[in-house]
Amino acid sequence: MQRLEKLVNLNSPHNLKLTNLTSEILLNLNPPEYALTILLYNALSIAGILIFVITLTLLYVLYIYITLPPDTTLKRTLLMKLLLSAPSPQPQTLHSHPFRTRVLPHGNLVRVAENLWQVKGSLPEKGPQLPRVMTIYKIPETGGLWLHSVMCLREEVMEELDALGDVEYIVVPCRNHTLDAVAYKNRYPTALVVCPEISREIVEEQVIADTTCEEAFSEYDPKSNLSIQYMVPRGYMSETDHMGELVYVLRLTDEVKQTRSKKQYYSALIFCDLFFNVSFDDADSMAIYFGSWGFFGTTSVGRILIKNEKEFTEFVTRDLEEVVVKRNVIVMSVAHGDWVIGGRVCLEKIREAGNRLMF
């Protein structure tokens, strides 16, 4: 009893300041009843906190629902809030380390066409463990390099890259691919950092863009033979959350064998997060849980982020399929997963991506 009186001593600064009524009740309890009472009190406290948090969450959801634009679904908006709510690292913290200290495990520089190379690497441990792909394109007219979704590489691989030509463009494909952009700008100060107009405001929180992709390159024209052209994925871009990317059509220097006098070249399609092509060996537990592996196409999470699924499905099944056929596409690259090589295989994969959107 003396020990129990000490526990409820109101004058002790190290104990709970209970009311006189509560103290009197506790003093009349035996130790088992006392322990049960404390346990019940803690359980009720935790329950109260949970109810408070749930109430705030429901009020927040209600607020978002009330303020939704007419053409925006609740599911998409809530997911976007969740994905984009995490604070971005401060630029001086993110990019203060030397280039070599930013290198993560990666493979070799692989040549996939006459003037096209790729490197498959990894993401930081604190985040999804998915493969990431950097694409290197040698521009036929200038001999300069066009780098898409850059990643810091081992010095011997960087020397291989430098031997290919001078870096002209550092392409930041979307708001979520800024990780090593500043490191590359510091290493290649004369190169132009470019990004889609829709994501420029967010991208520039990490790296200053010299211009936009829309200003630097030309929009796709089936009659044009320009080396670098872009396509706007209809139904995918969202100005409200600066979420969007472009699809790039690159002219390769590999010539199509034909009897006609006019030269015709093969092409490559470069995607960012529009499509994934992650194999089981490269998939982490989250990718497996969300079904983001084992196919070429838009992931289940990616489909929720699509603003207008009907327009986007038409873009994939009509526009992209037409480009693959008319521009003799033999390589397709994604930012996460394996690249696709071969004209027939590219057409099959685009049709696979379109079919997945119809169900």
Side-chain angles (χ1 to χ4, degrees), residues 120-273:
K120 182 190 284 188
S122 56
L123 290 167
E125 291 184 359
K126 294 181 179 179
Q129 293 305 293
L130 293 171
R132 59 170 172 161
V133 175
M134 172 181 173
T135 300
I136 301 99
Y137 172 68
K138 188 165 186 174
I139 305 170
E141 293 86 354
T142 65
L145 302 181
W146 181 91
L147 309 181
H148 182 271
S149 192
V150 295
M151 71 175 83
C152 294
L153 309 173
R154 298 187 305 271
E155 193 56 36
E156 65 269 21
V157 182
M158 291 302 301
E159 290 176 2
E160 292 181 47
L161 186 149
D162 291 336
L164 299 177
D166 297 328
V167 177
E168 287 191 22
Y169 294 101
I170 299 169
V171 181
V172 181
C174 69
R175 59 173 292 166
N176 299 325
H177 283 250
T178 60
L179 188 62
D180 291 330
V182 166
Y184 265 77
K185 181 61 175 178
N186 292 339
R187 186 178 180 113
Y188 304 104
T190 60
L192 296 179
V193 175
V194 297
C195 68
E197 175 64 39
I198 195 170
S199 57
R200 184 171 188 174
E201 181 180 337
I202 303 300
V203 167
E204 289 195 330
E205 293 179 2
Q206 300 296 326
V207 57
I208 301 300
D210 295 291
T211 185
T212 65
C213 296
E214 290 87 341
E215 294 171 344
F217 314 120
S218 299
E219 190 166 5
Y220 174 71
D221 180 356
K223 298 179 181 180
S224 172
N225 204 31
L226 291 173
S227 299
I228 305 172
Q229 299 182 70
Y230 69 86
M231 302 177 70
V232 179
R234 292 183 293 107
Y236 185 77
M237 312 288 262
S238 176
E239 295 181 359
T240 55
D241 46 44
H242 306 280
M243 200 72 182
E245 62 180 82
L246 301 173
V247 178
Y248 301 95
V249 184
L250 306 181
R251 177 169 63 84
L252 303 176
T253 52
D254 306 71
E255 289 188 28
V256 178
K257 295 180 180 179
Q258 55 185 354
T259 57
R260 293 180 297 175
S261 59
K262 183 180 179 181
K263 287 185 177 182
Q264 197 171 4
Y265 298 93
Y266 288 110
S267 300
L269 281 178
I270 311 299
F271 304 99
C272 185
D273 295 337

